[in-house]
C-alpha cells in the first residue's frame, strides 16, 4: 500500500499552475486561498474544476456564496501564493490590490488570467470537495506563469 508521503512525493513531479481562489465571506469581506488543483473540464457548458480541502478557511464561505474567482498567478506573484496559503485568512487581503469582477467576485490585480464562476456542482473527494464551476466570465493578461513543482514555487521558464 502506498503511504501519504510517497504519494505526495510522486505527485510533486507533476508541475501545476498556481491559483488563488477568491470569494466573499458571510460578512461581505473578500476571502481566498491558494489552490493548485485546478483544470478545465468542459466546453459545453463551460466548466472548470477546483479541489479544496474541506477544512480550509475558504471552503465554506465559497460554497455559501455560490460563486468564486480563479486567479491564475503570474511568475512575479509568488508572494501572493504564499500569503493566501498560510496565515490568518482574515488578513490575506490586507494590502493586496484587487477589484470586483463583472460577476461580483474578487479578482486579484496582476493575475495572469482570471475566471469568474458560479458553483455548478460539488462532489465529495476524500478530504476535499471537488467543485465544478460554470464559467460566467474570464480574461487574461501578459506574462509567465507561476508553477508548483516538487514542493517548490517557481517560474514557467528556467
Amino acid at each position: 500500500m502506498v503511504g501519504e508521503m510517497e504519494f505526495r512525493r510522486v505527485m510533486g513531479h507533476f508541475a501545476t499552475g498556481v491559483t488563488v481562489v477568491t470569494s466573499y465571506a458571510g460578512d461581505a469581506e473578500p476571502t481566498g486561498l491558494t489552490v493548485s488543483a485546478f483544470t478545465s473540464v468542459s466546453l459545453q457548458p463551460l466548466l472548470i474544476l477546483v479541489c479544496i480541502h474541506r477544512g480550509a478557511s475558504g471552503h465554506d464561505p465559497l460554497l455559501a456564496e455560490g460563486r468564486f474567482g480563479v486567479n491564475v498567478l503570474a511568475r512575479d506573484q509568488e508572494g501572493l501564493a504564499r500569503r493566501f496559503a498560510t496565515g490568518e485568512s482574515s488578513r490575506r487581503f490586507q494590502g493586496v490590490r484587487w477589484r470586483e469582477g463583472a460577476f461580483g467576485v474578487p479578482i486579484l490585480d496582476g493575475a495572469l488570467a482570471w475566471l469568474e464562476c458560479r458553483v455548478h456542482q460539488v462532489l465529495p473527494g476524500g478530504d476535499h470537495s471537488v467543485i465544478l464551476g460554470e464559467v460566467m466570465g474570464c480574461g487574461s493578461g501578459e506574462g509567465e506563469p507561476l508553477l508548483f513543482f516538487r514542493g517548490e514555487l517557481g517560474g514557467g521558464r528556467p
Side-chain angles (χ1 to χ4, degrees):
M1 175 80 69
V2 175
E4 181 179 326
M5 294 307 293
E6 178 65 1
F7 177 73
R8 288 177 62 121
R9 186 190 69 76
V10 170
M11 290 305 297
H13 286 73
F14 180 65
T16 64
V18 180
T19 70
V20 170
V21 173
T22 56
S23 190
Y24 287 103
D27 55 5
E29 289 296 316
T31 185
L33 67 161
T34 301
V35 174
S36 60
F38 161 74
T39 192
S40 63
V41 173
S42 170
L43 293 175
Q44 295 292 328
L46 295 175
L47 296 176
I48 57 91
L49 173 150
V50 294
C51 297
I52 300 178
H53 192 280
R54 286 187 306 222
S57 61
H59 178 275
D60 292 346
L62 183 154
L63 294 182
E65 180 69 16
R67 58 192 166 150
F68 61 96
V70 178
N71 299 268
V72 178
L73 298 187
R75 185 177 192 165
D76 64 352
Q77 292 180 306
E78 182 175 334
L80 281 179
R82 293 186 188 287
R83 171 188 280 257
F84 281 88
T86 60
E88 189 177 327
S89 61
S90 65
R91 296 179 183 223
R92 291 179 183 163
F93 268 89
Q94 286 182 352
V96 173
R97 292 178 35 186
W98 62 281
R99 67 188 186 286
E100 189 168 283
F103 295 93
V105 298
I107 303 297
L108 301 177
D109 286 358
L112 186 59
W114 58 94
L115 300 101
E116 294 183 74
C117 306
R118 69 173 186 85
V119 174
H120 178 76
Q121 187 174 7
V122 181
L123 304 165
D127 57 1
H128 283 62
S129 289
V130 178
I131 302 168
L132 293 175
E134 182 176 4
V135 178
M136 307 303 289
C138 61
S140 63
E142 295 295 324
E144 298 293 326
L146 180 63
L147 298 179
F148 187 69
F149 180 69
R150 290 187 181 168
E152 298 290 329
L153 291 167
R157 292 189 179 165

